[in-house]
PDB file of all heavy atoms in Angstrom:
ATOM      1  N   PHE Z  10       4.142  -2.469   3.850  1.00  0.00           N
ATOM      2  CA  PHE Z  10       3.549  -3.312   2.811  1.00  0.00           C
ATOM      3  C   PHE Z  10       4.589  -4.084   1.986  1.00  0.00           C
ATOM      4  O   PHE Z  10       4.247  -4.651   0.953  1.00  0.00           O
ATOM      5  CB  PHE Z  10       2.685  -2.459   1.879  1.00  0.00           C
ATOM      6  CG  PHE Z  10       1.481  -1.870   2.558  1.00  0.00           C
ATOM      7  CD1 PHE Z  10       1.430  -0.513   2.849  1.00  0.00           C
ATOM      8  CD2 PHE Z  10       0.414  -2.676   2.925  1.00  0.00           C
ATOM      9  CE1 PHE Z  10       0.328   0.031   3.487  1.00  0.00           C
ATOM     10  CE2 PHE Z  10      -0.697  -2.135   3.559  1.00  0.00           C
ATOM     11  CZ  PHE Z  10      -0.740  -0.786   3.850  1.00  0.00           C
ATOM     12  N   LEU Z  11       5.825  -4.117   2.437  1.00  0.00           N
ATOM     13  CA  LEU Z  11       6.827  -4.882   1.705  1.00  0.00           C
ATOM     14  C   LEU Z  11       6.411  -6.343   1.579  1.00  0.00           C
ATOM     15  O   LEU Z  11       6.063  -6.993   2.558  1.00  0.00           O
ATOM     16  CB  LEU Z  11       8.178  -4.825   2.420  1.00  0.00           C
ATOM     17  CG  LEU Z  11       9.009  -3.547   2.327  1.00  0.00           C
ATOM     18  CD1 LEU Z  11      10.267  -3.693   3.169  1.00  0.00           C
ATOM     19  CD2 LEU Z  11       9.349  -3.196   0.891  1.00  0.00           C
ATOM     20  N   GLY Z  12       6.461  -6.864   0.358  1.00  0.00           N
ATOM     21  CA  GLY Z  12       6.219  -8.283   0.139  1.00  0.00           C
ATOM     22  C   GLY Z  12       7.501  -9.084   0.253  1.00  0.00           C
ATOM     23  O   GLY Z  12       8.599  -8.525   0.413  1.00  0.00           O
ATOM     24  N   HIS Z  13       7.383 -10.386   0.145  1.00  0.00           N
ATOM     25  CA  HIS Z  13       8.547 -11.265   0.285  1.00  0.00           C
ATOM     26  C   HIS Z  13       9.626 -10.917  -0.734  1.00  0.00           C
ATOM     27  O   HIS Z  13      10.814 -10.800  -0.385  1.00  0.00           O
ATOM     28  CB  HIS Z  13       8.121 -12.726   0.109  1.00  0.00           C
ATOM     29  CG  HIS Z  13       9.275 -13.682   0.074  1.00  0.00           C
ATOM     30  ND1 HIS Z  13       9.957 -14.073   1.215  1.00  0.00           N
ATOM     31  CD2 HIS Z  13       9.892 -14.317  -0.978  1.00  0.00           C
ATOM     32  CE1 HIS Z  13      10.926 -14.903   0.872  1.00  0.00           C
ATOM     33  NE2 HIS Z  13      10.910 -15.072  -0.437  1.00  0.00           N
ATOM     34  N   ASP Z  14       9.232 -10.749  -1.987  1.00  0.00           N
ATOM     35  CA  ASP Z  14      10.215 -10.441  -3.033  1.00  0.00           C
ATOM     36  C   ASP Z  14      10.866  -9.086  -2.804  1.00  0.00           C
ATOM     37  O   ASP Z  14      12.064  -8.898  -3.082  1.00  0.00           O
ATOM     38  CB  ASP Z  14       9.562 -10.483  -4.411  1.00  0.00           C
ATOM     39  CG  ASP Z  14       9.178 -11.892  -4.833  1.00  0.00           C
ATOM     40  OD1 ASP Z  14       9.650 -12.860  -4.191  1.00  0.00           O
ATOM     41  OD2 ASP Z  14       8.405 -12.021  -5.802  1.00  0.00           O
ATOM     42  N   ASP Z  15      10.077  -8.120  -2.287  1.00  0.00           N
ATOM     43  CA  ASP Z  15      10.627  -6.801  -1.979  1.00  0.00           C
ATOM     44  C   ASP Z  15      11.698  -6.901  -0.891  1.00  0.00           C
ATOM     45  O   ASP Z  15      12.766  -6.275  -0.983  1.00  0.00           O
ATOM     46  CB  ASP Z  15       9.525  -5.858  -1.506  1.00  0.00           C
ATOM     47  CG  ASP Z  15       8.550  -5.488  -2.610  1.00  0.00           C
ATOM     48  OD1 ASP Z  15       8.907  -5.641  -3.793  1.00  0.00           O
ATOM     49  OD2 ASP Z  15       7.433  -5.044  -2.280  1.00  0.00           O
ATOM     50  N   LYS Z  16      11.416  -7.676   0.132  1.00  0.00           N
ATOM     51  CA  LYS Z  16      12.377  -7.849   1.222  1.00  0.00           C
ATOM     52  C   LYS Z  16      13.667  -8.469   0.699  1.00  0.00           C
ATOM     53  O   LYS Z  16      14.775  -8.042   1.062  1.00  0.00           O
ATOM     54  CB  LYS Z  16      11.777  -8.725   2.321  1.00  0.00           C
ATOM     55  CG  LYS Z  16      10.556  -8.130   3.006  1.00  0.00           C
ATOM     56  CD  LYS Z  16       9.970  -9.130   3.995  1.00  0.00           C
ATOM     57  CE  LYS Z  16       8.658  -8.655   4.562  1.00  0.00           C
ATOM     58  NZ  LYS Z  16       8.064  -9.653   5.496  1.00  0.00           N
ATOM     59  N   GLU Z  17      13.515  -9.477  -0.147  1.00  0.00           N
ATOM     60  CA  GLU Z  17      14.693 -10.155  -0.705  1.00  0.00           C
ATOM     61  C   GLU Z  17      15.520  -9.201  -1.565  1.00  0.00           C
ATOM     62  O   GLU Z  17      16.759  -9.228  -1.548  1.00  0.00           O
ATOM     63  CB  GLU Z  17      14.247 -11.363  -1.533  1.00  0.00           C
ATOM     64  CG  GLU Z  17      13.646 -12.495  -0.708  1.00  0.00           C
ATOM     65  CD  GLU Z  17      14.662 -13.150   0.204  1.00  0.00           C
ATOM     66  OE1 GLU Z  17      15.779 -13.446  -0.272  1.00  0.00           O
ATOM     67  OE2 GLU Z  17      14.351 -13.330   1.399  1.00  0.00           O
ATOM     68  N   LEU Z  18      14.837  -8.345  -2.308  1.00  0.00           N
ATOM     69  CA  LEU Z  18      15.542  -7.393  -3.171  1.00  0.00           C
ATOM     70  C   LEU Z  18      16.334  -6.394  -2.339  1.00  0.00           C
ATOM     71  O   LEU Z  18      17.505  -6.110  -2.633  1.00  0.00           O
ATOM     72  CB  LEU Z  18      14.541  -6.658  -4.070  1.00  0.00           C
ATOM     73  CG  LEU Z  18      15.136  -5.668  -5.083  1.00  0.00           C
ATOM     74  CD1 LEU Z  18      15.982  -6.403  -6.116  1.00  0.00           C
ATOM     75  CD2 LEU Z  18      14.026  -4.874  -5.770  1.00  0.00           C
ATOM     76  N   LEU Z  19      15.710  -5.864  -1.298  1.00  0.00           N
ATOM     77  CA  LEU Z  19      16.377  -4.860  -0.480  1.00  0.00           C
ATOM     78  C   LEU Z  19      17.572  -5.432   0.272  1.00  0.00           C
ATOM     79  O   LEU Z  19      18.646  -4.824   0.316  1.00  0.00           O
ATOM     80  CB  LEU Z  19      15.387  -4.247   0.512  1.00  0.00           C
ATOM     81  CG  LEU Z  19      14.389  -3.231  -0.051  1.00  0.00           C
ATOM     82  CD1 LEU Z  19      13.396  -2.821   1.021  1.00  0.00           C
ATOM     83  CD2 LEU Z  19      15.098  -2.007  -0.619  1.00  0.00           C
ATOM     84  N   THR Z  20      17.398  -6.594   0.878  1.00  0.00           N
ATOM     85  CA  THR Z  20      18.487  -7.150   1.682  1.00  0.00           C
ATOM     86  C   THR Z  20      19.520  -7.875   0.830  1.00  0.00           C
ATOM     87  O   THR Z  20      20.647  -8.091   1.275  1.00  0.00           O
ATOM     88  CB  THR Z  20      17.928  -8.117   2.747  1.00  0.00           C
ATOM     89  OG1 THR Z  20      17.184  -9.164   2.103  1.00  0.00           O
ATOM     90  CG2 THR Z  20      17.027  -7.378   3.718  1.00  0.00           C
ATOM     91  N   GLY Z  21      19.144  -8.244  -0.399  1.00  0.00           N
ATOM     92  CA  GLY Z  21      20.062  -8.930  -1.301  1.00  0.00           C
ATOM     93  C   GLY Z  21      20.752  -7.975  -2.240  1.00  0.00           C
ATOM     94  O   GLY Z  21      21.827  -7.445  -1.940  1.00  0.00           O
ATOM     95  N   ASP Z  22      20.129  -7.709  -3.382  1.00  0.00           N
ATOM     96  CA  ASP Z  22      20.749  -6.865  -4.405  1.00  0.00           C
ATOM     97  C   ASP Z  22      21.111  -5.468  -3.896  1.00  0.00           C
ATOM     98  O   ASP Z  22      22.118  -4.886  -4.318  1.00  0.00           O
ATOM     99  CB  ASP Z  22      19.811  -6.715  -5.610  1.00  0.00           C
ATOM    100  CG  ASP Z  22      19.698  -8.003  -6.418  1.00  0.00           C
ATOM    101  OD1 ASP Z  22      20.433  -8.961  -6.106  1.00  0.00           O
ATOM    102  OD2 ASP Z  22      18.890  -8.034  -7.359  1.00  0.00           O
ATOM    103  N   TYR Z  23      20.281  -4.916  -3.002  1.00  0.00           N
ATOM    104  CA  TYR Z  23      20.514  -3.551  -2.533  1.00  0.00           C
ATOM    105  C   TYR Z  23      21.230  -3.484  -1.186  1.00  0.00           C
ATOM    106  O   TYR Z  23      21.461  -2.397  -0.662  1.00  0.00           O
ATOM    107  CB  TYR Z  23      19.188  -2.774  -2.501  1.00  0.00           C
ATOM    108  CG  TYR Z  23      18.752  -2.353  -3.891  1.00  0.00           C
ATOM    109  CD1 TYR Z  23      18.026  -3.213  -4.698  1.00  0.00           C
ATOM    110  CD2 TYR Z  23      19.117  -1.116  -4.409  1.00  0.00           C
ATOM    111  CE1 TYR Z  23      17.648  -2.847  -5.986  1.00  0.00           C
ATOM    112  CE2 TYR Z  23      18.745  -0.729  -5.691  1.00  0.00           C
ATOM    113  CZ  TYR Z  23      18.010  -1.607  -6.470  1.00  0.00           C
ATOM    114  OH  TYR Z  23      17.653  -1.242  -7.748  1.00  0.00           O
ATOM    115  N   ASN Z  24      21.579  -4.642  -0.632  1.00  0.00           N
ATOM    116  CA  ASN Z  24      22.479  -4.735   0.525  1.00  0.00           C
ATOM    117  C   ASN Z  24      22.056  -3.845   1.688  1.00  0.00           C
ATOM    118  O   ASN Z  24      22.894  -3.214   2.357  1.00  0.00           O
ATOM    119  CB  ASN Z  24      23.913  -4.386   0.102  1.00  0.00           C
ATOM    120  CG  ASN Z  24      24.948  -4.886   1.086  1.00  0.00           C
ATOM    121  OD1 ASN Z  24      24.746  -5.899   1.751  1.00  0.00           O
ATOM    122  ND2 ASN Z  24      26.053  -4.186   1.198  1.00  0.00           N
ATOM    123  N   LEU Z  25      20.748  -3.757   1.949  1.00  0.00           N
ATOM    124  CA  LEU Z  25      20.243  -2.934   3.051  1.00  0.00           C
ATOM    125  C   LEU Z  25      20.644  -3.545   4.393  1.00  0.00           C
ATOM    126  O   LEU Z  25      20.410  -4.730   4.639  1.00  0.00           O
ATOM    127  CB  LEU Z  25      18.718  -2.824   2.969  1.00  0.00           C
ATOM    128  CG  LEU Z  25      18.033  -2.057   4.105  1.00  0.00           C
ATOM    129  CD1 LEU Z  25      18.513  -0.611   4.145  1.00  0.00           C
ATOM    130  CD2 LEU Z  25      16.521  -2.121   3.938  1.00  0.00           C
ATOM    131  N   ARG Z  26      21.221  -2.705   5.281  1.00  0.00           N
ATOM    132  CA  ARG Z  26      21.641  -3.186   6.589  1.00  0.00           C
ATOM    133  C   ARG Z  26      21.185  -2.290   7.736  1.00  0.00           C
ATOM    134  O   ARG Z  26      21.203  -2.713   8.885  1.00  0.00           O
ATOM    135  CB  ARG Z  26      23.168  -3.330   6.632  1.00  0.00           C
ATOM    136  CG  ARG Z  26      23.708  -4.441   5.731  1.00  0.00           C
ATOM    137  CD  ARG Z  26      23.225  -5.822   6.170  1.00  0.00           C
ATOM    138  NE  ARG Z  26      23.705  -6.898   5.319  1.00  0.00           N
ATOM    139  CZ  ARG Z  26      23.034  -7.391   4.271  1.00  0.00           C
ATOM    140  NH1 ARG Z  26      21.830  -6.886   3.962  1.00  0.00           N
ATOM    141  NH2 ARG Z  26      23.518  -8.371   3.550  1.00  0.00           N
ATOM    142  N   ASP Z  27      20.783  -1.052   7.436  1.00  0.00           N
ATOM    143  CA  ASP Z  27      20.356  -0.139   8.499  1.00  0.00           C
ATOM    144  C   ASP Z  27      19.133   0.647   8.069  1.00  0.00           C
ATOM    145  O   ASP Z  27      19.132   1.255   6.989  1.00  0.00           O
ATOM    146  CB  ASP Z  27      21.478   0.845   8.850  1.00  0.00           C
ATOM    147  CG  ASP Z  27      22.522   0.237   9.756  1.00  0.00           C
ATOM    148  OD1 ASP Z  27      22.297   0.240  10.982  1.00  0.00           O
ATOM    149  OD2 ASP Z  27      23.549  -0.240   9.239  1.00  0.00           O
ATOM    150  N   ILE Z  28      18.091   0.633   8.912  1.00  0.00           N
ATOM    151  CA  ILE Z  28      16.881   1.424   8.680  1.00  0.00           C
ATOM    152  C   ILE Z  28      16.758   2.462   9.781  1.00  0.00           C
ATOM    153  O   ILE Z  28      16.902   2.149  10.972  1.00  0.00           O
ATOM    154  CB  ILE Z  28      15.624   0.526   8.677  1.00  0.00           C
ATOM    155  CG1 ILE Z  28      15.615  -0.373   7.438  1.00  0.00           C
ATOM    156  CG2 ILE Z  28      14.351   1.377   8.724  1.00  0.00           C
ATOM    157  CD1 ILE Z  28      14.485  -1.384   7.429  1.00  0.00           C
ATOM    158  N   ILE Z  29      16.498   3.701   9.400  1.00  0.00           N
ATOM    159  CA  ILE Z  29      16.239   4.791  10.343  1.00  0.00           C
ATOM    160  C   ILE Z  29      14.797   5.227  10.145  1.00  0.00           C
ATOM    161  O   ILE Z  29      14.421   5.681   9.062  1.00  0.00           O
ATOM    162  CB  ILE Z  29      17.207   5.967  10.108  1.00  0.00           C
ATOM    163  CG1 ILE Z  29      18.662   5.483  10.211  1.00  0.00           C
ATOM    164  CG2 ILE Z  29      16.943   7.083  11.119  1.00  0.00           C
ATOM    165  CD1 ILE Z  29      19.686   6.515   9.765  1.00  0.00           C
ATOM    166  N   ASP Z  30      13.994   5.080  11.175  1.00  0.00           N
ATOM    167  CA  ASP Z  30      12.547   5.296  11.094  1.00  0.00           C
ATOM    168  C   ASP Z  30      12.199   6.634  11.737  1.00  0.00           C
ATOM    169  O   ASP Z  30      12.293   6.803  12.954  1.00  0.00           O
ATOM    170  CB  ASP Z  30      11.821   4.146  11.799  1.00  0.00           C
ATOM    171  CG  ASP Z  30      10.321   4.137  11.555  1.00  0.00           C
ATOM    172  OD1 ASP Z  30       9.769   5.189  11.165  1.00  0.00           O
ATOM    173  OD2 ASP Z  30       9.695   3.083  11.771  1.00  0.00           O
ATOM    174  N   PHE Z  31      11.781   7.601  10.899  1.00  0.00           N
ATOM    175  CA  PHE Z  31      11.469   8.952  11.366  1.00  0.00           C
ATOM    176  C   PHE Z  31      10.074   9.075  11.997  1.00  0.00           C
ATOM    177  O   PHE Z  31       9.710  10.155  12.463  1.00  0.00           O
ATOM    178  CB  PHE Z  31      11.522   9.934  10.187  1.00  0.00           C
ATOM    179  CG  PHE Z  31      12.913  10.279   9.711  1.00  0.00           C
ATOM    180  CD1 PHE Z  31      13.075  11.026   8.551  1.00  0.00           C
ATOM    181  CD2 PHE Z  31      14.040   9.881  10.397  1.00  0.00           C
ATOM    182  CE1 PHE Z  31      14.340  11.378   8.091  1.00  0.00           C
ATOM    183  CE2 PHE Z  31      15.308  10.218   9.947  1.00  0.00           C
ATOM    184  CZ  PHE Z  31      15.455  10.970   8.795  1.00  0.00           C
ATOM    185  N   ARG Z  32       9.271   8.039  11.985  1.00  0.00           N
ATOM    186  CA  ARG Z  32       7.874   8.146  12.395  1.00  0.00           C
ATOM    187  C   ARG Z  32       7.720   8.234  13.919  1.00  0.00           C
ATOM    188  O   ARG Z  32       8.619   7.909  14.683  1.00  0.00           O
ATOM    189  CB  ARG Z  32       7.083   6.944  11.870  1.00  0.00           C
ATOM    190  CG  ARG Z  32       7.047   6.847  10.358  1.00  0.00           C
ATOM    191  CD  ARG Z  32       6.317   5.586   9.908  1.00  0.00           C
ATOM    192  NE  ARG Z  32       6.962   4.382  10.434  1.00  0.00           N
ATOM    193  CZ  ARG Z  32       6.408   3.174  10.431  1.00  0.00           C
ATOM    194  NH1 ARG Z  32       5.186   3.017   9.965  1.00  0.00           N
ATOM    195  NH2 ARG Z  32       7.073   2.139  10.920  1.00  0.00           N
ATOM    196  N   THR Z  33       6.525   8.655  14.329  1.00  0.00           N
ATOM    197  CA  THR Z  33       6.197   8.677  15.749  1.00  0.00           C
ATOM    198  C   THR Z  33       5.987   7.256  16.260  1.00  0.00           C
ATOM    199  O   THR Z  33       5.797   6.307  15.493  1.00  0.00           O
ATOM    200  CB  THR Z  33       4.912   9.478  16.007  1.00  0.00           C
ATOM    201  OG1 THR Z  33       3.806   8.809  15.372  1.00  0.00           O
ATOM    202  CG2 THR Z  33       5.017  10.898  15.450  1.00  0.00           C
ATOM    203  N   GLU Z  34       5.984   7.129  17.574  1.00  0.00           N
ATOM    204  CA  GLU Z  34       5.755   5.812  18.182  1.00  0.00           C
ATOM    205  C   GLU Z  34       4.394   5.259  17.777  1.00  0.00           C
ATOM    206  O   GLU Z  34       4.251   4.058  17.529  1.00  0.00           O
ATOM    207  CB  GLU Z  34       5.858   5.925  19.705  1.00  0.00           C
ATOM    208  CG  GLU Z  34       5.840   4.606  20.440  1.00  0.00           C
ATOM    209  CD  GLU Z  34       4.437   4.050  20.669  1.00  0.00           C
ATOM    210  OE1 GLU Z  34       3.498   4.869  20.745  1.00  0.00           O
ATOM    211  OE2 GLU Z  34       4.290   2.809  20.760  1.00  0.00           O
ATOM    212  N   LYS Z  35       3.385   6.128  17.701  1.00  0.00           N
ATOM    213  CA  LYS Z  35       2.042   5.685  17.323  1.00  0.00           C
ATOM    214  C   LYS Z  35       2.018   5.164  15.890  1.00  0.00           C
ATOM    215  O   LYS Z  35       1.405   4.131  15.596  1.00  0.00           O
ATOM    216  CB  LYS Z  35       1.057   6.836  17.481  1.00  0.00           C
ATOM    217  CG  LYS Z  35      -0.402   6.441  17.274  1.00  0.00           C
ATOM    218  CD  LYS Z  35      -1.329   7.603  17.586  1.00  0.00           C
ATOM    219  CE  LYS Z  35      -2.782   7.184  17.469  1.00  0.00           C
ATOM    220  NZ  LYS Z  35      -3.697   8.316  17.776  1.00  0.00           N
ATOM    221  N   GLU Z  36       2.675   5.855  14.984  1.00  0.00           N
ATOM    222  CA  GLU Z  36       2.758   5.388  13.601  1.00  0.00           C
ATOM    223  C   GLU Z  36       3.464   4.037  13.519  1.00  0.00           C
ATOM    224  O   GLU Z  36       3.038   3.141  12.777  1.00  0.00           O
ATOM    225  CB  GLU Z  36       3.512   6.406  12.748  1.00  0.00           C
ATOM    226  CG  GLU Z  36       2.763   7.702  12.484  1.00  0.00           C
ATOM    227  CD  GLU Z  36       3.631   8.695  11.750  1.00  0.00           C
ATOM    228  OE1 GLU Z  36       4.622   9.186  12.327  1.00  0.00           O
ATOM    229  OE2 GLU Z  36       3.327   8.981  10.576  1.00  0.00           O
ATOM    230  N   ARG Z  37       4.551   3.895  14.251  1.00  0.00           N
ATOM    231  CA  ARG Z  37       5.291   2.630  14.227  1.00  0.00           C
ATOM    232  C   ARG Z  37       4.458   1.481  14.783  1.00  0.00           C
ATOM    233  O   ARG Z  37       4.528   0.352  14.294  1.00  0.00           O
ATOM    234  CB  ARG Z  37       6.600   2.754  15.020  1.00  0.00           C
ATOM    235  CG  ARG Z  37       7.563   3.787  14.465  1.00  0.00           C
ATOM    236  CD  ARG Z  37       8.964   3.606  15.043  1.00  0.00           C
ATOM    237  NE  ARG Z  37       8.992   3.601  16.495  1.00  0.00           N
ATOM    238  CZ  ARG Z  37       9.099   4.681  17.248  1.00  0.00           C
ATOM    239  NH1 ARG Z  37       9.169   5.882  16.675  1.00  0.00           N
ATOM    240  NH2 ARG Z  37       9.148   4.597  18.560  1.00  0.00           N
TER     241      ARG Z  37
END
């Protein structure tokens, strides 16, 4: 449910570069 501003905040101010997704294939 990330919105546009949320994405910008994470990749900008919070410098996010790697996501590790613990969910099952069905959840993803």
